[in-house]
Structure formats: structure tokens, C-alpha cells
Amino acid sequence: MLTSLSKRHGLFFAAGALCILANRQGLGPLWYTGVVLLILGMSMRWGLWRHQHPPQEQTPILVDVPVCGRWRALNSPATKVPSHTHSHAQTFAIDLTHHPAAAEPTPAFHWFWPLASRPHRYPAFGAPVLAPGDGEVVMRVDRQRDHLSRSSLPGLLYLFLEGFVRSLGRPRHLWGNHIIVKLDEGVYAGLAHLKRGSLRVAVGDRVSAGQLLAECGNSGNSSEPHVHFQLMSDSDPETAHGLAFAWHYRDDDGTEHTGVPENTVSFTSVRHAANGRPGDRPHERPLQD
């Protein structure tokens, strides 16, 4: 019950901010009401954040890489845990940007101008997003728009503010268009920032490892087109725990690994490359590299 109430922390925070902004009588009842609501909202968010700390000593679950081709790891749990934050079960989440060897470079970061770039200028935009294992689709969101990139200093500052505001809302505000799949191993895979109108599956559909689910987009709290991937203990990212995962991948030197690539490491899926298509069904087992 307390956890369900804590999920509404954004409403308390918004109501408190509104009371303070609407106040015109100095330190009066409306101002104090606003302060109390702000404190309640932040306390509820902090409590939910603590609740989402995952269990220690996890054995990573081996799943398929949810993309094909050459990608680059960012905000990786191989570099830092939590890789993002414990909120929304993102403790072990990873972000992936697409960098095909023959493609032109992605738009460069600019200090001031241009403020942003259109998402279709990035190789990741429209790239296939694949099922990381056999399972059933339990959630899909497909109506969030694909916005411009945040590829300048003003855009980056806006992203931080935007991210805080989005985090107060529902998962769709933060993740944009997304799919959650309940894998046969009993865990849940979340794939976020998908392209609007690209989702190929519906809730209740059975999917196989490597099946096309959607296309990469730039929806939600996203600085540029990329795929956000994570495993969770439950289908609700607002209350679930993040779970550790691992992939079979090959780096640019041709070395094969079982694990998760570190930040800025470019890689391809071993299974996808070996088979010429997405790989076989993953299995949960201890990992050796």
C-alpha cells in the first residue's frame, strides 16, 4: 500500500510547486501547504528509490543482444553500478547507440548552435530492436513522439530539467515508447525510446528470441536516438528491482566476451553474426569469460 502511494510522489510534488507559485500573500497557509507537499513528495520518492535497491550478489542472466550490427555501450553497468539510478529498476540498465562501420558520423555536439538535430540524421533511428529471449509481451506504449536531439549545451541543460520532470510522471514519460517482455526465465525485459508507430507486437503476443519488436527511436527522456535495455524482477518499473544480465558479444578487435561491454566499447552480437540472424534462446546460468 505504501509503495503504491509512493508511486504518486509526482502529484504531491506538482501540487506543492503549484501552491508556492500561486501564493501571493507571503508566508501564509498556501505557502506552508506547498512546502509540506513538496517535502512529502520528495520523501515518497526517496522511499521508493530505497525500495528499489536490488538484492546483492546477483548471478547475471544470459540473454540475447536486442540489436544487430555494430553498437556502442553507454551508461553501462560494467563501468558503474547503478549504471543509471535505482529508480525505475534501472540499476543495471544500459544505453546503446548505433555506429555502423560504413556510416557517416553522428551529428557532433555543439556548444550553442545548432541547438538540436533531427532524429533521422542518426544511424540508430529506425534500426531494428529485437526480442532478447522467448517470452510474452506484457506492456507496450506507442504514442509518444520522437523529438529532436539534445546535441548542444542549452539542449543538454534542458535534458536534465526535462529528465527530472519526466521522472515525476508515469514510465511512459521517462521511457517514451517502450515494450516489456516477460521472458520464459521469469524475468522482465524492458526496451525503451522506441520509434513511434514502429511497434510490431501487441500485449499477449508470444515472441521468440531475435524476433523484430520495433525500431529504435528518440522518444521519452532521450538525448539522441538510442536503445535503453534492462532486466527487472517485475513488470512495473516503478516498483521492480533491476537485475543483472549478460550478452555474448564481440568487440572491434574480434575478441569474444560473455558479459556486458563497458562505456564507449563498440561491439556486435556473436550469435547474430554467427547465424546471420538473431541468436538462439538464452538460458540462465553462471557466467565464465
Side-chain angles (χ1 to χ4, degrees), residues 235-263:
S235 61
D236 186 354
E238 292 188 276
T239 57
H241 296 132
L243 300 177
F245 66 90
W247 296 326
H248 287 317
Y249 69 93
R250 181 181 293 115
D251 61 30
D252 278 352
D253 292 332
T255 305
E256 295 186 5
H257 304 268
T258 300
V260 181
E262 295 184 350
N263 283 349

Side-chain angles (χ1 to χ4, degrees), residues 23 59 68 79 93 112 126 144 147 153-154 188 202 207 216 240 267 270 281:
N23 178 61
T59 298
C68 56
T79 299
F112 295 104
Q144 306 296 303
H147 54 71
L153 181 59
Y188 296 79
V207 297
C216 176
F267 69 96
V270 170
R281 175 179 174 179

Side-chain angles (χ1 to χ4, degrees), residues 63-76:
V63 294
D64 278 3
V65 178
V67 290
C68 56
R70 182 174 180 266
W71 292 70
R72 182 174 298 162
L74 296 173
N75 301 316
S76 170

